[in-house]
Amino acid sequence: MSLFTTTRNIVSILQCLLILLPGSAVAQKGQDKRPNIVYIMSDDHAYQAISAYGSRLNKTPNIDRLAEEGLLFTRASVTNALCAPSRAVLLTGKHSFVNGKIDNEAKFDWSQDNFAKILQKHGYQTALIGKIHMDGIPTGFDHSAVLIDQGEYYNPNFIINGHKQQVEGYVSDLTTDMVLQWIAQRDPSKPFCVLYHQKAPHREWLPALRHIVDYTAMKFPEPETLFDDFRGRGTAAKTAEMNILKHMNWAGDNKVPPTLMDELGLKEYMSWDKAAFNNNLGRMTTEERAVWDSVYLPIMENFRLAYPHMSEADLMRWRYQRYMQDYLGTVAAVDDGVGKLLDFLKQNGLDENTIVIYTSDQGFYLGEHGWFDKRFMYEESLRTPLLIRYPKEIPAGTRSDALVQNLDFAPTLLDYAGIEAPKDMQGESFRKLAGGTQKNWRDAVYYTYYEYPGIHAVKRHYGIRTDRYKLIHFYYDIDEWELYDLEEDPQELHNVYDNPAYAEVRKKMTEKLAAVRASYNDSADNDRKFLPKTPVE
């Protein structure tokens, strides 16, 4: 057997199946009419990088179709802005301190219930395709084809129903084609649910070859806070290690060849910087690498000549542009996949009875406060894109400011399937909210973050966000509180916790936080339970 299953083979199989598929749509009539579900989750896709959210950076015409034909949530958020914990919350409908996946290192217990298992038991066909970033064999799925750990952009390894296999092609395209192939091969008499999980735009941001010429030629507007000095904030923001200039990898992230790093005297920030560059580009075929080098090597030659004359501000700006070019280039292929999926559903008579959701595992910093990455409870990482298309219930072109969370996905999807959610799920179904028949909703969302000490050095914290205010408690090695007035200070530049003018707000928010924590059965005991065994120095 060949090491590679080629993209051409996948596509040819898919084309053959599509010829048969229209008849299967007819076969579905008179049978199970419950809606199909396609849940699309990208990795680290900031809402600022979606044109439906007013992006100044890029255009995402296919993701925008979901907003035009369905609903866009303007203030959707996550309970823990970290990759694997977010996925655990999606599956279980429970906070991290309940499902046990508090950070990227903790093991996830696949034996616990999840919404896919429940759908299975009620006659749904289920599949998980793409990134899951959790150890163990996924349970609750008739079919799984998952990337190993973070996965690779070029010629990635998948574990397909328990068997490791390297597949030739670009990861975003492969994931899309595998999803469409599985839908085409399904039993048309039963409803289906597929989790379509893209790796992109996760670090280290290698765009598809078809996008690199255009995106590396673009210049993007800088955020107002690119050179934030964190005056008016506390220890946590000042000590975090996610500054584009100081903490981003030169080779792995900005694609500066290791040989050029050595020539210019550029040091590795992370020990795996040069290895990431060599491993990621080393996966390319000879032909792919030649195309890549034809675009990137001239950029690096220009940098080599300019570097001796660049100030720190110049370097920050150069690194920001390199970051945006590659990050947004990877988003372009994700958007291509959404368009391919929507066209597929329409062409095969599945679009009217299929719920399509697009979201990310959390938000991401695109230079705001000088940062990349996520983790904080500040808006750019707390908020996540959320768009839903379901013509039978959701009016086209609607928007909602409701404070929904990824905690709500499991009970909502079960609700659409006509299944009562287990009582121990902590989220709420927003089906009626999405359909416009429910007006009242929660007035605060709750957030926790545990991965400290750890990469990026973001302190442990928890807090609540209401319609206007946000209260955060940083704990463990510090004891600091932050309060923000999001109406007066949307960029969260001024902590007003100790401002006498906000004394009454502080009191009410503190009481609200205590009530919300209690409602989810969280407490200081849980905070201590999940502390590292070795205290930080």
Side-chain angles (χ1 to χ4, degrees), residues 27-324:
Q28 195 174 15
K29 293 181 179 178
Q31 299 181 30
D32 197 324
K33 297 295 184 65
R34 290 179 294 175
N36 305 307
I37 299 165
V38 179
Y39 175 90
I40 312 169
M41 176 184 277
S42 53
D43 193 308
D44 293 346
H45 192 178
Y47 63 87
Q48 310 96 285
I50 295 177
S51 42
Y53 280 88
S55 175
R56 301 187 307 145
L57 298 169
N58 64 334
K59 299 294 183 184
T60 50
N62 296 302
I63 296 172
D64 291 358
R65 285 168 59 183
L66 296 172
E68 294 160 4
E69 300 173 9
L71 168 63
L72 180 149
F73 282 100
T74 62
R75 294 192 298 200
S77 66
V78 296
T79 63
N80 184 342
L82 199 57
C83 299
S86 180
R87 287 165 170 77
V89 172
L90 153 71
L91 289 167
T92 63
K94 300 173 184 177
H95 276 280
S96 302
F97 54 85
V98 177
N99 68 51
K101 186 64 176 169
I102 59 165
D103 57 27
N104 281 339
E105 300 303 318
K107 294 291 184 183
F108 179 68
D109 179 9
W110 281 102
S111 69
Q112 65 185 302
D113 214 359
N114 68 52
F115 81 88
K117 291 183 184 180
I118 298 170
L119 289 175
Q120 263 189 329
K121 292 174 184 175
H122 287 80
Y124 268 75
Q125 300 162 93
T126 59
L128 168 59
I129 298 172
K131 181 175 178 179
I132 190 61
H133 194 205
M134 293 195 290
D135 293 336
I137 302 299
T139 58
F141 302 97
D142 303 314
H143 172 78
S144 64
V146 298
L147 295 164
I148 301 171
D149 194 42
Q150 298 288 1
E152 304 94 2
Y153 275 102
Y154 280 84
N155 307 313
N157 291 313
F158 281 86
I159 296 179
I160 302 176
N161 295 323
H163 301 285
K164 181 179 176 180
Q165 185 175 349
Q166 187 174 13
V167 186
E168 184 180 15
Y170 185 69
V171 68
S172 300
D173 301 337
L174 293 171
T175 303
T176 299
D177 288 343
M178 288 179 180
V179 167
L180 301 188
Q181 180 181 349
W182 181 81
I183 296 174
Q185 290 177 314
R186 80 199 191 285
D187 179 349
S189 69
K190 300 177 182 178
F192 66 84
C193 173
V194 57
L195 307 191
Y196 168 15
H197 286 192
Q198 292 284 26
K199 167 188 170 58
H202 193 278
R203 195 180 188 184
E204 284 93 7
W205 314 299
L206 275 70
L209 295 180
R210 65 182 179 275
H211 293 305
I212 60 176
V213 172
D214 288 343
Y215 277 84
T216 56
M218 293 181 185
K219 184 173 182 179
F220 299 94
E222 297 173 0
E224 295 178 15
T225 57
L226 184 63
F227 294 94
D228 194 347
D229 62 7
F230 302 104
R231 195 175 307 167
R233 263 89 21 100
T235 303
K238 293 172 183 175
T239 58
E241 297 175 357
M242 56 176 65
N243 181 268
I244 291 171
L245 175 60
K246 298 176 182 178
H247 306 121
M248 185 173 273
N249 286 336
W250 286 103
D253 293 334
N254 288 157
K255 315 305 184 297
V256 178
T259 53
L260 182 54
M261 284 181 63
D262 294 340
E263 179 184 341
L264 298 178
L266 301 174
K267 303 299 182 184
E268 289 185 303
Y269 174 66
M270 299 301 297
S271 61
W272 39 266
D273 182 7
K274 294 178 181 178
F277 177 95
N278 291 327
N279 292 338
N280 290 336
L281 272 64
R283 300 188 68 83
M284 294 179 175
T285 64
T286 301
E287 295 78 12
E288 288 168 339
R289 184 63 184 269
V291 175
W292 181 274
D293 285 348
S294 71
V295 174
Y296 280 82
L297 290 184
I299 294 171
M300 296 308 152
E301 175 61 15
N302 289 336
F303 176 63
R304 185 185 72 82
L305 296 173
Y307 178 76
H309 313 289
M310 296 173 76
S311 66
E312 280 200 354
D314 293 334
L315 279 172
M316 178 62 143
R317 290 191 165 99
W318 185 86
R319 302 197 77 177
Y320 168 74
Q321 293 298 329
R322 281 274 52 253
Y323 170 33
M324 285 299 91

Side-chain angles (χ1 to χ4, degrees), residues 357-417:
I357 297 173
Y358 185 88
T359 189
S360 176
D361 51 354
Q362 70 273 313
F364 212 68
Y365 293 102
L366 304 184
E368 299 88 0
H369 311 294
W371 287 340
F372 67 104
D373 208 68
K374 59 263 184 175
R375 302 167 194 267
F376 273 112
M377 195 186 166
Y378 303 134
E379 287 295 281
E380 291 86 0
S381 55
L382 173 70
R383 285 174 56 191
T384 189
L386 178 57
L387 307 94
I388 306 178
R389 182 190 186 278
Y390 184 37
K392 286 188 174 181
E393 292 190 17
I394 300 175
T398 56
R399 296 170 74 91
S400 172
D401 296 331
L403 297 172
V404 297
Q405 284 193 291
N406 58 343
L407 188 71
D408 304 318
F409 289 149
T412 299
L413 296 177
L414 292 176
D415 191 0
Y416 277 121

